[in-house]
Amino acid sequence: MRIDELKAGEEVKYSGELLVMRDAAQKRIKNFLERNKTLPLKLEGKIVFYAGPARSPDGKKCGAIGPTTSARMDEYLEMLYSLGVVATVGKGKRSNWVVDMCRKWKRVYFVTPSGAAAYLSRCVKSIETVAFEDLGPEAIYRIHVKDFPLLVAIDVCGNTVFAG
C-alpha cells in the first residue's frame, strides 16, 4: 500500500503492523522530546491506531479493540508526523487543521468501524506491549493485523470524506 496513491473514500483491507496508542502515550512521547530523552521506539514509517485494547480473553490473541475518537489526539498529530508516522487510524471527523497537516506532511487519516471492536479483534494476529507498560491499556502496543478494514478519510492532498 502506497500512502501517496490512496484517495479519500477508498476502502483498504490492510495487512501488516499498526502501533496502538492513545493520548497518554502521546503525551509521554512529547514529554520525552521536551527533555531530549531518547524515545523507546522508532516511529518512522509507522501507522498509529488510536485505540486501547481490552484484556485478552483466554484462548484469544487480543481482546476487543476499537477506534477511539481521533479529535482528542489532534494536539499531538504534527509531532507524530515529524517523527515519521505516515498515517493515523481512528474514528470521527478531524479538524480543518488536521486536513492541512495531512496535506503539508503528505499523510493519511483512516477511519475504521466503531462499534465493531470484537470483529476488529479477529483481524489481530499478534499483539505485544512495546513501550510505557505502566500505562496499562494506554501503553503503546504493536499489533499485526490481516485484512483490517480501513477507509481513507483524509488523503495526502487534503481531500476528505467528511462534509463541511
Side-chain angles (χ1 to χ4, degrees):
M1 168 177 70
R2 288 200 32 169
I3 294 292
D4 60 335
E5 294 177 352
L6 297 172
K7 303 295 178 210
E10 188 173 344
E11 295 178 17
V12 176
K13 290 282 190 170
Y14 176 71
S15 297
E17 179 184 285
L18 297 171
L19 287 180
V20 179
M21 69 172 83
R22 295 188 337 198
D23 27 357
Q26 292 175 79
K27 182 177 181 179
R28 191 167 293 174
I29 289 170
K30 181 180 177 188
N31 212 300
F32 270 53
L33 294 173
E34 289 171 349
R35 294 184 182 158
N36 292 318
K37 290 176 70 176
T38 303
L39 295 179
L41 73 162
K42 300 285 184 205
L43 296 174
E44 184 73 33
K46 304 298 185 189
I47 300 173
V48 170
F49 179 26
Y50 301 135
R55 191 176 309 262
S56 297
D58 290 341
K60 301 281 185 180
K61 291 193 186 318
C62 181
I65 186 167
T68 195
T69 304
S70 300
R72 288 194 353 238
M73 314 302 162
D74 285 0
E75 69 179 287
Y76 304 109
L77 186 65
E78 191 163 24
M79 173 191 73
L80 291 180
Y81 286 171
S82 73
L83 293 169
V85 168
V86 296
T88 57
V89 179
K91 72 175 182 182
K93 184 176 180 179
R94 306 292 293 266
S95 67
N96 289 333
W97 179 82
V98 170
V99 172
D100 291 342
M101 288 298 101
C102 287
R103 188 180 307 111
K104 173 185 174 181
W105 290 90
K106 301 294 183 209
R107 305 296 198 244
V108 169
Y109 169 57
F110 294 105
V111 291
T112 196
S114 61
Y119 168 76
L120 293 175
S121 73
R122 287 188 257 157
C123 299
V124 177
K125 301 307 168 194
S126 67
I127 183 169
E128 66 177 312
T129 308
V130 293
F132 312 141
E133 188 170 359
D134 62 300
L135 295 177
E138 292 248 3
I140 300 177
Y141 297 86
R142 177 182 296 117
I143 61 174
H144 286 90
V145 297
K146 182 167 176 35
D147 296 330
F148 196 84
L150 299 173
L151 175 75
V152 179
I154 305 171
D155 65 25
V156 300
C157 296
N159 300 311
T160 179
V161 297
F162 302 111

